[in-house]
Amino acid sequence: MASFPILGCLIVAPLALWWFANRGRNDKINPLGLPLPPGPKPYPIIQNLLDVPLHKSWLVYSEWFKIYGDMVYLRVLGRDILVLRDLKTTNDLLEKRSHNYSDRPPLPMLNDHMGWNFAVASMHYGSLWRRHRRLLHDHFNAGVIKKYRPVQISVARILIRNLLESPSEDSDFSDQIRFTFAAIMMKITYGITVKDKDDEYISCAEEALKGLGEAATPGRFLVDIFPIMKWIPSWIPGAGWKRKAEYWAIINTKIINEPFEWVKKQINEGCAVPSICSRLIEELPEEGSLEEEKIVRDVCAITYLGGADTTVSVILSFFLAMCLHPEVQKKAQAELDSVLHGRLPEFTDYPFLPYIQAIAKETLRWNPVAPIAFGHVASEADEYNGYYIPKGTFVLGSGNHARSLSLPKSKLLHPERYLNNNNNNKIDPTIRDPSIAVFGYGRRICPGRFFVHESLFIVIVHILAVFDIKPGVDEDGNEVEVKPNYVTTGVLQYPAPFSCRIIPRSTQAEELIRNSDSVG
């Protein structure tokens, strides 16, 4: 009798797999008789389940592109997946046909179990998404972001003071970077001043985004393929995914509710600090619905999370790039010295610093924070370049398109690619900006992209104006080799820890840093 459950599983499991593999088959009928895009040959029943890469998937996709071309198709237990290589193909589908490619796939682990359904990035396309998106656009479009500049300058100057007080050779300087951007976003979003890098709001953001990186990877968790697994109790052996989800759900609940309730309390007491959250709460109608308040709460949470950590990867890449390319650093500092003449930078210096602008663009392009973009879904069947794209296909546009925007030297840090040598080294408007591949596509493009650009600029100019960035040294005083290695949480990547010396350029620069608290 004890063998009956095992026998039952042996019978039921293949039938379940067969059902998943063939579900929706009627929806996949190809009325034009066109071929599907090429891809790895599927196995019986499980199809391409074993082919789906779970770690640094973009590297596997790069190898597939060499074999199959610009579009690679997989089918995993009834789900269609299409991976796009080049910018033209991605633009043709996700931009020009955005009406058909603006939805998101079902994300049971991320949305249902971890509570990320508050995030506009993972919501299904529709009226609720548009309401969230409209609020984000209202506060981060190109015409309004100037109002955040005083906070951005203030926090950039806090950063250079913190870097000065840290050991000159500090492999943990990344903590200061994370603190800086978390502080910017917490102040702008909620009016809350975080005191140090151990603040609970900062640690919660890091944990939440770690969970996002893992759960947004297609195929990482089986519950995304077999939603029926949601009924499995968390205490059963093998249900570790559910215990992870419960932990991350608690983190997300804290991020969504606690700072929001703090602002509401401050408003009721008449002492609220001006912030996005306080303005949105005050704009709610007196008899507003709970749904309207929830939308405001959700928008504030994703505003904070969106800027608190992902930009950190870009700044850490900047430090890594300066260690690897001292010639770029020296050229940038020469430009800064010719403009600043011994003072700290301001946003008004932007037009006179084209090489710094180029470094910011190149840092975005060099090692994109999201090498594989968040997936889109084909709402209806489509045809492209003679291939059939079934309804419901999960479409991935690679963030690594940024790498191929400006050749040659695509793998090297080369800011000069954006400059026009025939026009006094000004930014060349004919060179495609890497932002078109870094911040997403179509109606799903990141609403905070203009704010990110300004944050990158003001942090980079402050650091280069007063510091030299060099590789660390060993116990014999010899510089250690710095390698451009990256680690990944799933869909996001960060430079692996590396030894770095952050040294004031001169005694005058050190004095400028110490006095920066009285400026700006």
Side-chain angles (χ1 to χ4, degrees):
M1 293 295 293
S3 63
F4 180 77
I6 298 176
L7 181 61
C9 288
L10 292 175
I11 295 173
V12 172
L15 292 174
L17 288 172
W18 179 88
W19 181 83
F20 273 100
N22 290 276
R23 61 179 174 168
R25 171 167 280 183
N26 290 337
D27 292 336
K28 313 302 179 185
I29 294 174
N30 181 347
L32 303 178
L34 297 172
L36 292 166
K41 184 177 179 180
Y43 297 95
I45 301 179
I46 63 171
Q47 300 166 329
N48 295 111
L49 178 63
L50 301 181
D51 296 313
V52 176
L54 302 181
H55 181 68
K56 293 190 176 182
S57 56
W58 55 92
L59 299 180
V60 178
Y61 296 150
S62 294
E63 294 303 312
W64 285 350
F65 292 141
K66 296 175 184 177
I67 301 171
Y68 303 109
D70 295 337
M71 302 168 68
V72 177
Y73 170 84
L74 304 97
R75 187 164 167 81
V76 180
L77 299 177
R79 297 187 186 278
D80 300 278
I81 301 174
L82 181 64
V83 189
L84 310 177
R85 176 174 67 174
D86 67 350
L87 188 62
K88 182 182 184 305
T89 302
T90 303
N91 187 68
D92 286 348
L93 293 181
L94 304 188
E95 288 280 352
K96 295 180 180 179
R97 305 184 190 182
S98 61
H99 63 281
N100 192 47
Y101 292 95
S102 291
D103 202 2
R104 292 295 195 213
L107 300 167
M109 180 66 173
L110 197 67
N111 287 340
D112 301 339
H113 296 278
M114 292 169 56
W116 272 94
N117 49 0
F118 72 93
V120 66
S122 60
M123 284 181 184
H124 283 297
Y125 184 71
S127 60
L128 185 62
W129 174 85
R130 282 189 287 271
R131 291 169 69 185
H132 284 73
R133 174 79 183 203
R134 190 177 302 115
L135 284 182
L136 287 168
H137 174 78
D138 288 346
H139 288 275
F140 287 99
N141 66 71
V144 303
I145 56 171
K146 290 181 180 179
K147 65 184 178 183
Y148 304 126
R149 287 179 174 180
V151 175
Q152 290 171 302
I153 289 177
S154 175
V155 178
R157 293 178 183 180
I158 292 172
L159 172 62
I160 60 175
R161 292 198 296 275
N162 289 342
L163 291 174
L164 178 66
E165 293 167 4
S166 300
S168 61
E169 184 176 346
D170 183 7
S171 60
D172 295 325
F173 68 95
S174 61
D175 289 343
Q176 299 291 356
I177 308 299
R178 286 188 170 85
F179 166 74
T180 297
F181 282 93
I184 290 175
M185 297 312 302
M186 186 56 70
K187 187 72 173 179
I188 288 173
T189 307
Y190 297 106
I192 295 174
T193 301
V194 294
K195 300 297 184 182
D196 55 53
K197 60 185 176 63
D198 297 320
D199 187 279
E200 185 179 19
Y201 288 128
I202 295 178
S203 59
C204 282
E206 291 177 0
E207 282 297 298
L209 288 160
K210 178 182 176 182
L212 171 67
E214 286 198 34
T217 304
R220 174 64 63 89
F221 294 101
L222 282 177
V223 69
D224 287 333
I225 299 173
F226 303 107
I228 197 172
M229 290 176 64
K230 69 180 181 180
W231 301 110
I232 295 176
S234 60
W235 51 265
I236 286 182
W241 65 270
K242 199 162 193 178
R243 292 188 288 275
K244 282 185 175 183
E246 290 169 353
Y247 166 73
W248 280 321
I250 292 172
I251 295 292
N252 286 337
T253 299
K254 287 174 67 71
I255 289 173
I256 295 168
N257 292 325
E258 290 188 5
F260 182 80
E261 293 300 323
W262 183 87
V263 174
K264 283 180 65 177
K265 182 174 181 292
Q266 296 296 104
I267 291 174
N268 291 335
E269 295 174 356
C271 56
V273 176
S275 65
I276 291 174
C277 187
S278 64
R279 284 193 295 273
L280 289 177
I281 291 174
E282 290 168 348
E283 290 169 3
L284 286 170
E286 290 186 9
E287 298 181 359
S289 68
L290 291 177
E291 182 185 43
E292 290 172 322
E293 182 173 299
K294 181 180 183 301
I295 290 173
V296 168
R297 186 171 66 240
D298 292 350
V299 165
C300 290
I302 200 59
T303 296
Y304 169 58
L305 285 172
D309 194 69
T310 51
T311 311
V312 170
S313 174
V314 184
I315 292 295
L316 292 178
S317 286
F318 161 74
F319 275 88
L320 178 61
M322 294 302 99
C323 287
L324 293 170
H325 297 275
E327 75 286 354
V328 171
Q329 182 175 180
K330 292 302 179 186
K331 187 171 180 179
Q333 289 171 333
E335 181 182 72
L336 279 166
D337 293 343
S338 70
V339 172
L340 300 180
H341 300 294
R343 62 175 173 82
L344 288 175
E346 303 281 351
F347 276 104
T348 52
D349 298 314
Y350 183 87
F352 310 106
L353 298 170
Y355 194 68
I356 302 293
Q357 296 178 45
I359 289 176
K361 291 176 183 287
E362 183 69 340
T363 304
L364 282 171
R365 184 205 66 84
W366 186 48
N367 279 290
V369 60
I372 190 70
F374 222 113
H376 295 229
V377 165
S379 298
E380 299 294 337
D382 200 4
E383 177 272 330
Y384 181 77
N385 277 1
Y387 291 113
Y388 182 68
I389 301 174
K391 176 181 178 179
T393 296
F394 185 13
V395 183
L396 294 170
S398 171
N400 264 340
H401 292 152
R403 271 277 185 102
S404 63
L405 289 179
S406 305
L407 297 173
K409 301 182 181 179
S410 64
K411 294 184 180 180
L412 298 176
L413 191 87
H414 188 62
E416 288 78 6
R417 72 177 80 245
Y418 301 104
L419 300 177
N420 186 337
N421 294 326
N422 298 323
N423 188 24
N424 297 320
N425 282 330
K426 299 297 184 183
I427 292 292
D428 188 343
T430 65
I431 301 298
R432 287 181 295 189
D433 193 304
S435 298
I436 61 178
V438 171
F439 290 108
Y441 305 93
R443 300 175 189 182
R444 289 285 184 170
I445 193 168
C446 174
R449 60 196 182 279
F450 304 113
F451 177 82
V452 170
H453 274 300
E454 296 218 331
S455 295
L456 288 178
F457 170 78
I458 205 64
V459 169
I460 287 174
V461 291
H462 272 80
I463 291 168
L464 288 178
V466 294
F467 288 115
D468 285 323
I469 303 169
K470 299 181 179 181
V473 295
D474 60 24
E475 44 191 42
D476 296 323
N478 299 315
E479 285 193 351
V480 298
E481 182 182 5
V482 175
K483 297 181 180 180
N485 295 328
Y486 278 72
V487 295
T488 177
T489 61
V491 296
L492 307 177
Q493 67 170 355
Y494 302 85
F498 60 97
S499 181
C500 176
R501 289 177 293 158
I502 304 169
I503 308 167
R505 294 178 61 197
S506 64
T507 55
Q508 291 83 1
E510 184 172 345
E511 190 66 22
L512 199 60
I513 297 168
R514 295 192 187 282
N515 293 332
S516 63
D517 57 348
S518 61
V519 185

